[in-house]
Amino acid sequence: MSEQITVVAEVRRHDPSQGGEPHYQRFEVTGVDSMRVLDVIRSIYEQQAGDLAYQFACRVGRCGTCAVKVNGVPVLACQERCKPEMRIEPLTPFPVLRDLVVDRSEVETRYAALKLSPQRSCAHPGAPEPIDPALAEKLCHLDLCLACMVCVSACPAVAERPFDGPAFMLKLRHMALHPADSADRLPQALEAGMLECFNCDLCTQLCPADLSPAQAVRDFRRQMIFGKGKP
Amino acid sequence: MSLALPRNTTRQSESMLLGDAARVLHRLSGTVIVVFVLVHVAAQAVLRAPALAGWNAAMPWLPVVQNQPWIHAVLYFSIVFHALYGLRLLATELGARIDYRRSLWIIVALAALAAVKELARYVA
Amino acid sequence: MRDSNDFILESADVLIAGSGAAGMRAAIAAHDAGAKVVLLAKGPRRANHTRMSGGRYNAVSGANAQDSVEAFYRDTVDSGMGINDHELARILADEAMQRAYDLESYGLAWDRTEARKYYLSMTGGGTFVRTLGSIDEGIGITEVMLHQLHARSVPIRDFHMLVDVVVGRDGRVAGALALDLSRGVWRYYRCPSVIIATGGTSQLYETSSGPAINTGDGIAIALRAGAELVDIEFMQFIPISFVSPPSARGYTLTEPAHYGMRHFDPQAEAAHLVNNKGERFVLAHDPVRKEGSTRDVLARAIMIEILAGRGTPEGGVLMLPDKAVFEAFLKERPTYVKRLLENYGEAQARLEAPIAVTPSALYTLGGVRIDPWCRSRVPGLYAAGEAAGGVHGANRLGGSSMPDIQVFGRRAGMAAAEEAKARGPVAAADGVSEARARAAALEACMQRSGGMRPVEVKKRVQKLMWDHVGLVRSGPKMEQTLRAFGDIRSQVLPAIKVTGASRILNREWMEYLELENMLDIAEAMVASSLLRKETRGAHYRTDYPELDPHWTANVWVRREGAATKVERHAAARPGAADMQPNEQKATAQ
Ligand SMILES: Cc1cc2nc3c(=O)[nH]c(=O)nc-3n(C[C@H](O)[C@H](O)[C@H](O)COP(=O)(O)OP(=O)(O)OC[C@H]3O[C@@H](n4cnc5c(N)ncnc54)[C@H](O)[C@@H]3O)c2cc1C
Ligand code: SF4
Ligand code: SF4
Ligand code: FES
């Protein structure tokens, strides 16, 4: 059923703490053709390069920590199928800790600054909080974001302009729709650079969780124009 | 009709990055339009303003360019693409739900149609 | 250590290891009780088991009028086959719903049928439809909790691996040693209380459902620090997991696909399981409940088929799903439908074609022995969540870990904060020299050149555990395994080498540290499995295939010097009324 294939992977290696220039190391890996990029990386580590630094945990597209660039496109290593030839690089534009692992502390600082928990004006009732079932479903979908930063890495507006990035817009939208949240999220979105978005939907195309941060931006913009807040 | 499944996102790096393509096309088509307008203004100027007639000699390439059918095709493509894509952007921001993939292909197709039509005018 | 720059001193009131829900809930509670909290995560903070889970949450919400807290308690004890710590099980049943409301107050939106009525479904075991859920599953639970920590400015230290807890001369916790993997420096936290919320040990097995970080570190650390373990011989296996692709092998396929209409109705039939001859082999194991049987029975039945060569070429059996539940499944668990599509194909995602499944290690039922306030035997050392034992006994209800980690996470945080307040800061010099010595010893492997690589040894341990201390166990094989572990410890471990010299994110170095913990737990598991000469719940022995009432008891494990001691202790006797089986109760209603 499953065929064997051999793939060639060029992996970017760099230890910033040691200085020196990044270089690409070539590996050949043989395995079943359903291998994911992560399988290739793990095999390289297990068989060929014990000193390779890489990150993963859940291996099923949930923790969002394995994101890398494959042939220039940001993807989740554990979900992306392996290619006959691929160049594997750490996720840009984040600072590299070593080899394929990036430092996400700045991302966390941004999340924290956005205050992404419902700002309650009155306490939770201690009984099912009244939320329309359809809205609850929508909130859950927005909350499926992995914080993988694939969209931020791909976003052309982030590269060109002062814009925090699509993932943050999505989380702000989640709060904007949450019935228990009393804060006004539109100024926050504006502050985070919402108007810089090109509305190009690259984030929608690449999001491994089938989310659309671009839609979140559009919803905020419509809210800005027509002044409609909570649904 | 069967319910739509979630997307299969295991071949992301193989697909064309539509957003990038659209954005680049939008910028290019905009540039084409601006350049056309500039050239057009210059051409009209040398034709209509006797004082500038001397420039005519300095631009021997102008008639050559003006007579290239493909340039007209590119121009028509650019105008239609730029206008429709811009309208699409506006419409979505005002609340229209438009599929970004399908709409892009439709806009490209319409723009190409305009270009082909323009070409056909010369060929005929 | 190269120099003292590699050893940094810090302090906290409450140090928490683990950024899963148990650790985060503890951090919220301890912070709200006024303690200065530091939370360590071995990887990035989102790399935890809770995030991977289906997030199904057992609690008595009132949406099913027939259900009651009492029934939940009884289901828990029945499923645990009577050896649960009854007090802990009672607390779980009592407090689960309050903690579910806490999650909602953090921003989670439980699925509902009406604005004020939750949507319920069934999970593995249990007699009533009672399980809450949300479409965002474990991702949603961890995300809303993380933002609560952000709101409280609780420092979260990513890539900080807890290595050991240091106990002072007074027998109390003095501090904890951690390795900052992202910088390659040691940090010693002086602190009067430490909470172990490091999750389970599923990485001890070749095929496991959990994340790569679950190597049982915290449980081993607690054992070394003087705490006792309980029920550690019980490892829960989930019957239905993905067979391929390699990366996803072992990941749980989720129960709705398997349960079919049983997901909503305890009387309905679950999806049939067939071997490569097309036989419904489960009928031989449980003719009454058939494929709706408990996880332990199903997992074992599948494993036996695979071992007997009646599996598929990829090493699984086939599940024939009921496509009638597809629509509900798609609405309730879109993420799982997506994974089915990506891993197997469209027909499988639509539940229209047979789905290949294999059992995998899911949940560590045992762990650090705790009291109702999560205290271990060592003053100042607490444990909560999957790292603690006793709540679920010999088998866990599906959907009972989520309330467990919330209920006991909170209790641990409150108790640890109180202890820190009562005791005040730890004296400056306490434990520092011990911690330094330990850190220096753990650097030795960085200098060696010969020897095996940690990953090779890890695989060997995982294979031994899977083959002999997994679903099907027997005395002689386990004796043999115990000896093999002894050899690894005495001969292989001291000679392990680490390939790269970089101190930054040196995975082999981390794996070496994990390996010590894995061996500690593996030995404790084998030793207690050997002692338990019967079959009960998740523990199945071919040489003692029957349930033995004498063993309505727990095995406690502790360390004496380098030796692992196992002891049988009669289970806390529940009151006579508690012994009534649930079935009778349910039909009597
Ligand atoms: C696929 C799947 C589905 C599941 N579905 C459900 C379900 O629907 N309902 C249910 O009730 N249960 C479910 N479970 C079980 C449940 O997910 C776990 O039991 C639960 O999440 C454990 O939570 P925890 O907080 O105790 O630990 P974890 O979430 O495992 O967190 C452990 C934390 O400890 C950290 N850590 C580990 N070692 C160290 C160290 N040395 N130093 C510092 N930090 C360390 C890790 O980084 C991690 O952050 C499921 C499990 C799986 C695999
Ligand atoms: S739509 Fe906006 S946010 Fe999304 S990738 Fe394009 S520019 Fe970035
Ligand atoms: S929106 Fe999608 S791509 Fe962006 S961080 Fe969230 S899951 Fe990743
Ligand atoms: S390993 Fe968790 S998302 Fe890939």
Side-chain angles (χ1 to χ4, degrees):
Chain A
M1 195 171 94
S2 38
E3 307 277 314
Q4 294 278 311
I5 55 162
T6 298
V7 300
V8 177
E10 283 181 14
V11 181
R12 188 179 189 270
R13 314 277 323 251
H14 188 216
D15 185 349
S17 72
Q18 300 298 307
E21 284 300 305
H23 66 282
Y24 289 84
Q25 197 175 350
R26 231 178 106 90
F27 301 96
E28 275 185 23
V29 172
T30 303
V32 292
D33 62 356
S34 65
M35 270 192 305
R36 303 293 142 106
V37 172
L38 178 63
D39 288 315
V40 174
I41 299 175
R42 286 180 78 176
S43 161
I44 292 172
Y45 164 73
E46 284 171 12
Q47 318 280 342
Q48 307 183 48
D51 58 347
L52 180 70
Y54 66 103
Q55 167 63 39
F56 80 104
C58 72
R59 71 210 151 77
V60 291
R62 285 199 171 228
C63 70
T65 64
C66 67
V68 290
K69 278 187 147 181
V70 170
N71 295 338
V73 180
V75 295
L76 290 185
C78 65
Q79 293 307 105
E80 187 73 5
R81 278 171 175 265
C82 64
K83 325 278 155 214
E85 308 228 341
M86 52 189 168
R87 182 167 265 233
I88 308 176
E89 299 165 296
L91 206 63
T92 53
F94 306 100
V96 173
L97 285 169
R98 190 161 79 81
D99 295 344
L100 296 177
V101 189
V102 295
D103 184 354
R104 291 169 179 258
S105 25
E106 200 227 348
V107 171
E108 301 300 345
T109 313
R110 279 189 199 191
Y111 274 128
L114 293 177
K115 298 190 170 44
L116 295 169
S117 50
Q119 308 293 305
R120 291 185 172 270
S121 48
C122 49
H124 184 272
E129 187 162 39
I131 306 178
D132 175 65
L135 176 61
E137 188 175 335
K138 175 140 205 220
L139 290 173
C140 282
H141 277 284
L142 288 173
D143 207 19
L144 273 171
C145 169
L146 310 174
C148 64
M149 297 296 123
V150 159
C151 56
V152 175
S153 179
C155 175
V158 168
E160 280 181 22
R161 301 160 168 211
F163 177 38
D164 277 10
F168 304 98
M169 296 293 120
L170 190 92
K171 294 306 286 186
L172 281 173
R173 197 65 206 160
H174 176 223
M175 279 299 112
L177 292 183
H178 202 294
D181 184 56
S182 62
D184 188 357
R185 301 292 178 168
L186 182 59
Q188 274 187 295
L190 283 167
E191 175 94 349
M194 171 194 113
L195 292 178
E196 309 294 349
C197 160
F198 297 122
N199 197 356
C200 72
D201 274 309
L202 200 54
C203 47
T204 315
Q205 182 180 351
L206 291 180
C207 173
D210 294 1
L211 298 169
S212 177
Q215 188 58 43
V217 172
R218 291 193 281 266
D219 289 345
F220 269 128
R221 288 183 179 173
R222 198 189 37 183
Q223 179 188 342
M224 188 179 73
I225 298 167
F226 297 119
K228 269 202 226 106
K230 305 259 179 214
Chain B
M1 214 201 77
S2 58
L3 287 164
L5 287 174
R7 288 192 306 152
N8 181 338
T9 43
T10 59
R11 297 184 188 278
Q12 296 290 71
S13 71
E14 291 162 38
S15 48
M16 182 180 180
L17 300 181
L18 295 178
D20 265 350
R23 193 172 52 89
V24 169
L25 266 183
H26 204 213
R27 286 187 180 180
L28 277 180
S29 55
T31 316
V32 166
I33 294 170
V34 170
V35 168
F36 166 78
V37 170
L38 288 178
V39 171
H40 181 76
V41 167
Q44 291 301 319
V46 291
L47 277 184
R48 309 276 154 111
L52 295 179
W55 285 20
N56 218 347
M59 295 194 287
W61 44 267
L62 190 58
V64 183
V65 170
Q66 280 174 319
N67 289 328
Q68 290 290 325
W70 66 268
I71 289 213
H72 289 255
V74 168
L75 179 65
Y76 269 69
F77 180 92
S78 299
I79 293 170
V80 176
F81 180 86
H82 198 84
L84 291 182
Y85 188 76
L87 285 173
R88 198 216 75 165
L89 288 183
L90 261 177
T92 54
E93 300 201 342
L94 296 178
R97 288 290 189 133
I98 300 175
D99 180 88
Y100 71 95
R101 293 160 194 268
R102 207 177 313 143
S103 65
L104 180 64
W105 292 125
I106 292 174
I107 292 171
V108 168
L110 288 176
L113 200 68
V116 169
K117 229 179 135 214
E118 180 62 12
L119 269 182
R121 208 160 64 97
Y122 284 86
V123 176
Chain C
M1 269 158 293
R2 292 166 306 183
D3 55 48
S4 54
N5 289 339
D6 291 339
F7 192 92
I8 298 163
L9 288 178
E10 297 195 17
S11 70
D13 294 340
V14 177
L15 184 79
I16 301 173
S19 63
M24 288 198 282
R25 192 62 187 81
I28 293 171
H31 177 274
D32 290 354
K36 181 183 157 217
V37 178
V38 174
L39 187 120
L40 311 181
K42 186 153 94 180
R45 59 198 69 181
R46 289 183 178 77
N48 60 62
H49 194 179
T50 312
R51 198 174 174 88
M52 286 180 75
S53 79
R56 301 296 107 171
Y57 190 112
N58 289 341
V60 180
S61 60
N64 176 359
Q66 291 176 318
D67 195 14
S68 65
V69 170
E70 187 59 26
F72 180 16
Y73 165 71
R74 278 172 198 292
D75 274 345
T76 304
V77 177
D78 280 355
S79 144
M81 311 207 62
I83 62 160
N84 318 52
D85 183 321
H86 286 64
E87 213 179 337
L88 300 183
R90 172 75 68 190
I91 291 170
L92 175 74
D94 278 345
E95 297 182 7
M97 198 58 225
Q98 282 312 314
R99 302 291 80 79
Y101 290 139
D102 287 354
L103 283 173
E104 194 172 80
S105 82
Y106 299 161
L108 190 75
W110 295 111
D111 291 345
R112 43 197 90 215
T113 51
E114 292 162 29
R116 290 173 202 269
K117 192 164 178 198
Y118 294 139
Y119 166 89
L120 303 183
S121 63
M122 288 285 287
T123 47
T127 40
F128 291 100
V129 180
R130 74 162 63 92
T131 310
L132 306 176
S134 61
I135 293 167
D136 45 5
E137 307 189 344
I139 298 172
I141 292 180
T142 47
E143 206 60 32
V144 298
M145 296 184 78
L146 198 52
H147 295 306
Q148 290 295 319
L149 295 195
H150 287 158
R152 289 168 172 77
S153 303
V154 171
I156 306 175
R157 304 274 178 250
D158 294 318
F159 292 115
H160 279 52
M161 177 177 184
L162 180 72
V163 172
D164 257 316
V165 169
V166 180
V167 177
R169 265 174 291 274
D170 57 356
R172 295 171 164 273
V173 166
L177 176 68
L179 177 60
D180 175 353
L181 297 161
S182 66
R183 289 183 185 70
V185 300
W186 298 95
R187 284 183 210 275
Y188 179 67
Y189 294 88
R190 273 195 303 264
C191 52
S193 45
V194 174
I195 300 176
I196 302 285
T198 51
T201 64
S202 55
Q203 285 300 307
L204 277 176
Y205 293 89
E206 205 172 38
T207 303
S208 82
S209 207
I213 38 128
N214 275 357
T215 49
D217 299 346
I219 306 179
I221 290 166
L223 182 67
R224 290 197 294 265
E228 279 159 349
L229 311 186
V230 65
D231 296 344
I232 198 73
E233 68 274 28
F234 293 103
M235 183 78 202
Q236 183 172 47
F237 289 79
I238 185 101
I240 45 157
S241 319
F242 282 106
V243 174
S244 63
S247 56
R249 188 179 172 89
Y251 180 55
T252 308
L253 243 154
T254 192
E255 274 164 334
H258 160 212
Y259 264 29
M261 288 320 287
R262 207 183 132 75
H263 190 47
F264 310 102
D265 171 9
Q267 311 309 329
E269 266 209 14
H272 294 181
L273 293 164
V274 296
N275 60 19
N276 63 9
K277 297 203 178 72
E279 299 159 346
R280 277 177 75 189
F281 54 90
V282 179
L283 300 185
H285 297 265
D286 191 340
V288 181
R289 291 174 296 181
K290 306 188 185 103
E291 281 89 351
S293 189
T294 46
R295 287 172 169 181
D296 52 330
V297 173
L298 292 177
R300 195 178 307 132
I302 297 175
M303 194 66 201
I304 289 171
E305 285 314 286
I306 295 173
L307 289 176
R310 292 190 291 270
T312 64
E314 288 79 29
V317 297
L318 291 178
M319 177 171 82
L320 312 176
D322 178 359
K323 62 174 187 279
V325 287
F326 171 68
E327 198 175 332
F329 185 37
L330 178 66
K331 190 173 158 67
E332 191 187 318
R333 315 292 281 270
T335 336
Y336 277 97
V337 178
K338 185 170 159 77
R339 291 290 106 86
L340 271 169
L341 170 73
E342 293 172 344
N343 295 348
Y344 285 170
E346 174 156 359
Q348 282 86 351
R350 291 190 181 279
L351 304 184
E352 284 167 357
I355 296 173
V357 298
T358 183
S360 72
L362 176 75
Y363 183 87
T364 311
L365 288 152
V368 181
R369 198 169 73 79
I370 54 168
D371 75 357
W373 287 97
C374 302
R375 301 183 192 103
S376 74
R377 210 168 61 132
V378 180
L381 184 60
Y382 299 76
E386 200 178 332
V391 183
H392 307 288
N395 204 356
R396 175 175 70 90
L397 295 170
S400 266
S401 173
M402 287 300 122
D404 167 358
I405 57 189
Q406 298 294 331
V407 166
F408 292 100
R410 168 176 163 275
R411 284 179 161 250
M414 291 169 71
E418 200 170 298
E419 160 85 8
K421 206 181 285 172
R423 208 176 135 202
V426 177
D430 252 17
V432 179
S433 52
E434 288 92 328
R436 261 182 202 282
R438 178 81 172 120
L442 290 173
E443 299 241 344
C445 63
M446 299 284 282
Q447 267 79 47
R448 254 175 244 134
S449 51
M452 280 176 93
R453 294 177 50 207
V455 60
E456 297 165 318
V457 189
K458 198 168 166 180
K459 291 204 157 175
R460 199 194 277 183
V461 173
Q462 288 170 334
K463 175 115 184 66
L464 282 168
M465 288 297 287
W466 181 254
D467 289 347
H468 305 311
V469 201
L471 280 156
V472 182
R473 305 171 175 181
S474 78
K477 291 281 192 215
M478 287 196 291
E479 301 273 7
Q480 211 178 309
T481 307
L482 198 56
R483 280 195 297 277
F485 288 152
D487 291 346
I488 293 179
R489 187 185 288 282
S490 60
Q491 277 144 45
V492 180
L493 217 50
I496 277 185
K497 68 153 186 205
V498 164
T499 314
S502 175
R503 296 176 69 86
I504 312 258
L505 292 171
N506 190 323
R507 185 169 275 272
E508 289 195 341
W509 192 14
M510 174 182 84
E511 285 192 323
Y512 169 73
L513 301 181
E514 290 176 345
L515 201 54
E516 285 207 334
N517 298 325
M518 288 171 70
L519 266 184
D520 282 349
I521 302 300
E523 281 182 348
M525 276 190 175
V526 189
S528 33
S529 302
L530 276 167
L531 189 65
R532 185 176 283 280
K533 293 192 174 52
E534 65 151 355
T535 286
R536 181 183 297 262
H539 172 74
Y540 172 70
R541 281 186 66 161
T542 51
D543 44 355
Y544 296 95
E546 302 295 330
L547 185 87
D548 179 354
H550 167 74
W551 271 106
T552 307
N554 303 100
V555 179
W556 296 8
V557 183
R558 78 193 130 77
R559 267 295 182 82
E560 270 174 20
T564 305
K565 294 272 180 238
V566 285
E567 272 167 19
R568 176 185 169 279
H569 286 258
R573 293 279 320 156
D578 282 0
M579 295 302 284
Q580 228 177 66
N582 210 0
E583 253 65 32
Q584 286 173 15
K585 186 91 195 307
T587 44
Q589 271 176 351

